[in-house]
Every structure is written in structure tokens, then in C-alpha cells.
Amino acid sequence: MGIKRRHWALGVAPLALALLATTGCESTGGTEAKPAAVPTTTAPSTPVARVCAKPSAGPAKAPAGAVTVDPAVVGDLAAKTKSSPPHTTFWLRPGKHRLEADRYAQVIPKEGDRYLGAPGAVLDGGKKNQYAFGGKARNVAIRYLTVQRFVAPPDEGVVNHDSADGWVIEHATIQLNSGAGLMAGARQKVRSSCLRENGQYGMNAYKANGRISGLVVEGNEIVGNNTGDWERRREGCGCTGGIKFWAVDGADIRGNWVHDNRGTGLWADTNNNDFRIENNVLEDNDGAALIYETSYNAVIRKNTIRRNNWVEGRREAKKGDSFPYATVYLSESGGEPRIPARTDKIEINGNVLENNWSGITLWENADRFCNSPANTSSGDCTLLVKKTNRCAKPGIVTAPLYADCRWKTQRVDIHDNRFVLDKSVVKCTAKCDRMALLANYGTYPDWSPYKGERVAEAITAKQHNRWYDNVYVGPWSFVAKDQSQVLDFGEWQGAPYRQDAGSTFRARDGG
């Protein structure tokens, strides 16, 4: 798979570290460690999925008709899978199961195979095997099994390595692996599982051929992933996250506890569509809790989002970067009625955001469009234009290509949310308190029809992006049109922006 780059703002050379007094950030003793978490004042709307600490136990005895797998026999699981017919149930005895020492040794299931772990059953790659389960067989199930210490290469995964369709992963623990703990195929269901401390992703929802649809991620704990710190190793790669989604058409992400990941918690990047992200607890992630990038049509509701982006937001502030890095970040993403989905908007409602580094940013890069050299999702076009080379002069100058060659931040409704900020908890004085609706000044390439303030004016006034009926507690500020326009609540509500009608604002720290 190609590397796709995260694109926050204009590409500029990093600035020298500014004085702490200038950035408004307190010293962290020369490291990027997060300040100690402070108990929240707002309870989550749903119970936290504490799956890793309390994993469910599998069957203590082999089910009737199951093939028993012996941990004392190296390679027993792969061998018995190979010699058994499709739709076989395998029961792994308690103990540490190993594959043959060859780096490519792996289990290749047949269609409908089921793998059940007894209490204490572990499939261990010994830091030698790259993959645990691969192949193209459909409708495979893995339950009650711990899979650990495999060494998949970057961007590749350990479980369902080949992104086969219809897999079910339930009550599993996938931990301490390199690369991604888990890949994804169409109609895959990942439930009540622990995706912990994997080197790059907890799950990489990517399929090399064809789109992923009908993905369900429910009731999981997704914690401590990206131990390899890949964003630093490949600066700007956009290649990490608790979970990363690519070109997924239809996903339900609900009831998960996404926390303490190095980088972003949940990141949907490039032509995703029809997401419902609801009733999750997203907290203490080093970067944003949620990024929705160059994607379409989503409902983000009833989530508890707290103490995110303290590390990455603080780091960029120290550099002197004035971009409003937020805990919920929509980049070139919006509602599009012409693309079938359960909604034709992006609706963000009923969430509690508490003591994060800033709030919600809606951003559109005027230089990033299909066929532009500035498009960091290189080779991809919007879902409205099939052929990338159509997005060129003279056609791109006029309708419909003028609109359809851009991923647009449009038709976003942000309402009935509660935003709480106490700067004494976040330990900052500036740049951690922003809501934003903005774009850059278009400059590139020389044939771009989006130069100047056209996109900034569109995202601000013409693309139906609205905040309303929210509650603000704390010293919030607002950024509109471009980074230089920092507004107070009255200016944000007044002409010409007229945002947050019906919202209330209590400008004191704390809740």
C-alpha cells in the first residue's frame, strides 16, 4: 500500500522552539510527556469498555466436534488447519502456541473456520513470525485468543493479514505486535477485544483491492498503540492511529474505549463514507481523538472526549505554529447528498468534550484537490470524479469539475455538544482554547482555479457549516476564515460569521 500523508496546514519549515512564555505553555521538563490526568467532572454517557484488564474467558473444554490444538507441538495449529476441511472449529488448549520458525509461517484458514482459545491460550510469534492469520478465506472467526509478538512489516497486519471478508474477531487480545495488530475486510466485526500496544496501528482498515463495507467495531479497548512512534520516524506520513480507516464505505464504531495511543485515536483518511461514531470514550490520546480527512457523510454523536491532544498540540504551540490543532479535526470532509449513505451531512452532536487541547476544527486546504501535486493522498481522486486526469484545465475551471474535483468541508452541523475547558488542568495559557472554521490562501499549482481567498470564503460562508445550540464552559476563542482571525464569542455569533445561534457561553475556567 502507498504511504498517505497527513496534511494539517501549509507545508512550512519547522520554526525554532519559542520561549515558553511566548507560547503560553508550561515546561514539561524537556520531554513531550502528558501532564498527569485529572479526574473528570463529567461522567461518560456509556460504560467504559475495560476489556484488557478483564478479558472474557473462552471454553475450558473443547466443544463437540472441535479439533484440539496442542501447544506442546510447534506448528500444530497451522498443520491441523491445513489438513482439516472448511468450517472446522479449532480449540486451542491453555498455554503458549507457536508456529514454525520461518518468518512467513502462518495459519491459513479455510472458509468458515473457527478458532476458540481456552483460558490462557496464547498464539505467540516469538518476534520471529510476521503474520498469525492470513489468506483469502471468508467468514473466519477468532474468539477468546491472545495473539502477540508477531513482527509484521510497516503498514501490514498480523491478524487477517490479507484483508479477507466477513471475519469476526471477538473477546480476543491482540497485543505487542509490530505493524498493525489487525487488518480489515468487508463485513468484518471486531467486538469486545483488546487491541493493545501494537507497533503502528491497533487496526489498519485497508484493503488493497476493493472497498471495505459493513465494518463494525464495537465494545473494544484500543490502547497504547503506535509504540514505534512512526510519525516521527516518517515525518508527516499519516501512518498511525489507534485505528486507521482507508476507503471504508459504511462503518459503525460504537462503545469503544480509545485511550493513551501515541498519536491519533481514530483516524479516517481518504474517501471514507457513511460512518457512525457513537457512544465511545476517547481520552488521553497524544494527538487528536478523531480525524476525519478527505471523506464523506458521518454521524459523530454521544461520545465522551477528554484530555486528548495534550502532547501534539503542546508540541506545535512550542514551535510557534498558529494553526488551530484540535481534538476533533475535519480536513476536507463533509456531507455529500450524491454519495449514498445513512446521512447526507456530517453531524456532530450530543458529545462532551472536556479539557482537550482545543475543540473542533473544520479545515480545507485550497491547494489540495484531485490531480494537484499538493494532494498528499497521491493518486486518489474524489468519489465524484472517476478519472484523476479530468481534474485539469480547461474542464476544472467550470462546473461540474470546479466543485467535484475538491474534497469539500461542507454541510457540517455541530450542535447540542458541551465544551468544557479548564486551562489549569490542561496546563496552558494560549493556543489550547480554539474552535475553528478556516482555509488557507490558495497559491499552488499555477493552474489551480482555487487561488486566493476563494476556498476560505466558501468554507466560511457558502458551504453550510454551522455551530448551534452548544454549551461552552471556559475561556474559548474562535478562529474564522484564516489563522489571523481570532474572535471572541460575540464576534463569532455576530456578522458576518453568525455561528452558534442558541448556544450559551460561560467564560470562566472549569466546569
Side-chain angles (χ1 to χ4, degrees):
M1 62 186 276
I3 297 299
K4 316 239 177 168
R5 292 175 55 83
R6 171 177 181 172
H7 196 78
W8 286 98
L10 290 173
V12 294
L15 299 175
L17 292 179
L19 295 175
L20 294 179
T22 303
T23 65
C25 298
E26 297 185 2
S27 173
T28 57
T31 71
E32 294 297 338
K34 291 177 285 191
V38 175
T40 183
T41 59
T42 307
S45 58
T46 57
V48 174
R50 301 184 185 276
V51 180
C52 296
K54 299 178 180 179
S56 298
K61 295 182 179 180
V67 173
T68 297
V69 181
D70 187 352
V73 179
V74 173
D76 197 38
L77 179 60
K80 286 179 175 174
T81 297
K82 185 176 181 179
S83 63
S84 299
H87 303 283
T88 297
T89 296
F90 301 90
W91 179 71
L92 285 72
R93 290 184 181 274
K96 186 178 290 186
H97 298 254
R98 292 190 181 275
L99 303 175
E100 297 290 347
D102 184 270
R103 62 189 292 192
Y104 296 113
Q106 58 190 286
V107 181
I108 307 294
K110 298 182 175 73
E111 183 170 352
D113 281 352
R114 296 191 303 159
Y115 297 87
L116 302 176
V122 176
L123 180 60
D124 193 302
K127 295 295 183 182
K128 296 179 181 178
N129 306 118
Q130 291 189 350
Y131 316 121
F133 293 91
K136 295 294 187 179
R138 298 187 177 193
N139 305 323
V140 173
I142 299 170
R143 297 183 173 96
Y144 306 107
L145 182 63
T146 294
V147 180
Q148 65 183 28
R149 302 204 312 145
F150 286 80
V151 287
D155 304 320
E156 298 186 38
V158 168
V159 174
N160 196 10
H161 168 260
D162 297 296
S163 302
D165 295 339
W167 283 41
V168 175
I169 293 89
E170 292 181 324
H171 306 291
T173 297
I174 303 173
Q175 63 182 7
L176 307 174
N177 302 289
S178 301
L182 177 64
M183 300 299 284
R187 303 180 308 283
Q188 180 162 297
K189 295 176 175 58
V190 185
R191 295 189 176 114
S192 303
S193 292
C194 171
L195 308 182
R196 175 169 59 190
E197 296 180 11
N198 295 288
Q200 189 177 5
Y201 307 99
M203 181 170 75
N204 185 13
Y206 172 82
K207 191 175 177 72
N209 297 304
R211 291 172 66 81
I212 296 171
S213 60
L215 180 63
V216 175
V217 182
E218 181 176 21
N220 305 285
E221 184 174 351
I222 302 152
V223 53
N225 295 289
N226 187 27
T227 59
D229 202 6
W230 280 94
E231 298 294 337
R232 290 195 184 223
R233 295 167 70 174
R234 297 179 181 172
E235 186 176 356
C237 71
C239 61
T240 60
I243 300 181
K244 193 77 184 276
F245 305 89
W246 312 88
V248 175
D249 187 13
D252 290 275
I253 317 300
R254 55 183 178 244
N256 303 286
W257 185 22
V258 184
H259 67 103
D260 292 284
N261 294 285
R262 176 177 280 179
T264 302
L266 302 174
W267 190 344
D269 186 355
T270 311
N271 287 339
N272 296 279
N273 175 50
D274 195 13
F275 272 51
R276 288 192 175 180
I277 302 170
E278 56 191 359
N279 294 310
N280 302 285
V281 177
L282 301 100
E283 59 186 0
D284 298 309
N285 297 290
D286 286 1
L290 171 64
I291 298 176
Y292 206 70
E293 181 175 2
T294 53
S295 294
Y296 302 89
N297 301 325
V299 175
I300 302 165
R301 64 186 176 192
K302 297 182 180 179
N303 301 287
T304 298
I305 303 171
R306 55 198 178 196
R307 301 185 302 273
N308 296 283
N309 206 29
W310 287 14
V311 172
E312 292 190 7
R314 193 182 313 277
R315 183 171 65 228
E316 298 307 315
K318 284 183 179 180
K319 293 178 182 178
D321 193 337
S322 62
F323 188 81
Y325 294 93
T327 198
V328 175
Y329 176 53
L330 270 62
S331 177
E332 297 88 28
S333 292
E336 177 48 75
R338 290 174 291 171
I339 298 174
R342 290 167 289 183
T343 180
D344 60 5
K345 296 181 178 182
I346 291 183
E347 188 167 8
I348 304 173
N349 72 290
N351 304 286
V352 174
L353 285 83
E354 182 173 343
N355 290 329
N356 301 285
W357 189 279
S358 289
I360 298 175
T361 288
L362 306 189
W363 158 256
E364 192 169 325
N365 180 357
D367 299 329
R368 185 182 189 185
F369 55 92
C370 177
N371 208 29
S372 167
N375 175 25
T376 52
S377 296
S378 58
D380 288 293
C381 202
T382 69
L383 293 181
L384 297 172
V385 180
K386 299 295 185 182
K387 296 182 179 180
T388 300
N389 60 9
R390 292 184 63 207
C391 293
K393 280 191 171 182
I396 195 172
V397 177
T398 58
L401 292 179
Y402 179 83
D404 292 352
C405 288
R406 282 169 50 211
W407 289 274
K408 290 187 287 186
T409 303
Q410 65 175 6
R411 297 174 59 82
V412 180
D413 283 358
I414 301 170
H415 65 95
D416 294 287
N417 304 285
R418 179 177 174 85
F419 302 109
V420 178
L421 176 64
D422 186 338
K423 289 185 176 180
S424 69
V425 173
V426 183
K427 299 189 184 300
C428 70
T429 58
K431 297 185 179 178
C432 63
D433 55 358
R434 295 174 290 179
M435 298 281 170
L437 174 64
L438 77 163
N440 59 315
Y441 190 90
T443 62
Y444 182 78
D446 58 6
W447 53 270
S448 169
Y450 312 117
K451 289 183 178 180
E453 296 185 345
R454 294 180 183 182
V455 174
E457 291 171 351
I459 189 175
T460 306
K462 301 175 182 178
Q463 292 180 182
H464 308 288
N465 298 311
R466 301 187 304 155
W467 276 255
Y468 59 94
D469 293 338
N470 298 296
V471 173
Y472 294 88
V473 179
W476 291 96
S477 62
F478 303 85
V479 180
K481 191 175 180 180
D482 61 63
Q483 296 181 41
S484 69
Q485 305 269 6
V486 182
L487 315 174
D488 63 26
F489 190 60
E491 293 169 323
W492 176 246
Q493 282 193 312
Y497 305 110
R498 302 192 185 281
Q499 292 291 349
D500 266 315
S503 298
T504 61
F505 181 78
R506 182 156 53 98
R508 68 171 182 83
D509 283 353

